[in-house]
Amino acid sequence: MPSTATPSDTLRLFVALWPDAGAHEWLRACDAAIAWPAAAARAGADRWHITLHFLGATPRSRLPELLPALQQPFDPFAFELGRVEAWPRGLVVVEPRQSAHALLDLQAALGQALQRCGLPVESRAFKPHVTLARRAARATLAAPSAPQRWPVSAYALVASAGGRYRNLALYRGGMLSAAADPAPATTQIRPAPGPKPR
């Protein structure tokens, strides 16, 4: 049966990790060191995150069930960013330097919680990354001078609408610690700066 949901009664959702100040500045340095082609669609510093799960269009009516279901207690951990990579289809991303077992475990636990709620979960293997740009196949990449520690003590349920992101809920240590009114995303995201002449 076709869905009767309308934009006013759905939210485009994903579960994400946001970088702390140190990781954010390291990502900024990586971004600045790359020679970007004019056509590159750069994500912009306010958008840098690691997506744990993309839920897509989700009925607002599911939030009372979803918010507590996403509670997955975990001990704080850290991993290291260390590689700038060119992926197919013009993606330029930053990847962890090596496999982070605690990160993989957290992503898997959240996936199981989503499945128990009857929500779809990506079937492909999880490849944690931060997207710096799309349409950037001709970018000249620069290797980071040193890896960067990214501490993880919380994750967020995020709404995306009209080019804007908004945290709907924050889970510190995997426990719901703050939830916002489930309105459309309203936090203004500044546009990514254009490439500098080189």
Side-chain angles (χ1 to χ4, degrees):
M1 175 181 294
S3 171
T4 58
T6 66
S8 64
D9 58 28
T10 64
L11 292 164
R12 184 177 172 86
L13 301 178
F14 61 96
V15 182
L17 299 179
W18 295 106
D20 72 342
H24 193 273
E25 286 306 307
W26 186 90
L27 289 166
R28 188 184 296 275
C30 285
D31 180 82
I34 295 171
W36 295 106
R42 296 165 69 185
D46 288 340
R47 296 173 180 264
W48 292 334
H49 67 276
I50 289 178
T51 298
L52 298 176
H53 287 282
F54 179 71
L55 283 64
T58 305
R60 293 171 184 269
S61 60
R62 301 297 304 274
L63 282 177
E65 171 192 10
L66 180 59
L67 291 177
L70 284 175
Q71 295 189 116
Q72 298 298 316
F74 70 97
D75 293 327
F77 62 91
F79 61 92
E80 285 190 335
L81 295 171
R83 296 198 304 263
V84 179
E85 299 286 344
W87 281 11
R89 301 179 182 177
L91 284 178
V92 173
V93 305
V94 175
E95 298 178 331
R97 190 167 67 93
Q98 56 191 11
S99 179
H101 297 295
L103 176 58
L104 299 180
D105 289 346
L106 175 59
Q107 192 268 350
L110 288 166
Q112 292 170 4
L114 291 170
Q115 288 179 320
R116 287 193 293 270
C117 288
L119 293 171
V121 173
E122 175 62 65
S123 59
R124 292 175 296 181
F126 176 51
K127 295 183 67 175
H129 65 279
V130 177
T131 298
L132 295 183
R134 303 176 187 277
R135 301 198 302 272
R138 297 184 179 180
T140 301
L141 306 185
S145 58
Q148 170 64 41
R149 185 175 182 270
W150 181 323
V152 177
S153 60
Y155 52 86
L157 177 64
V158 185
S160 170
R164 303 172 182 179
Y165 291 167
R166 178 174 183 255
N167 283 350
L168 290 186
L170 184 65
Y171 296 82
R172 297 188 186 280
M175 299 302 293
L176 181 62
S177 62
D181 189 311
T186 55
T187 301
Q188 179 65 49
I189 301 297
R190 294 190 296 274
K196 297 180 180 179
R198 292 181 184 270

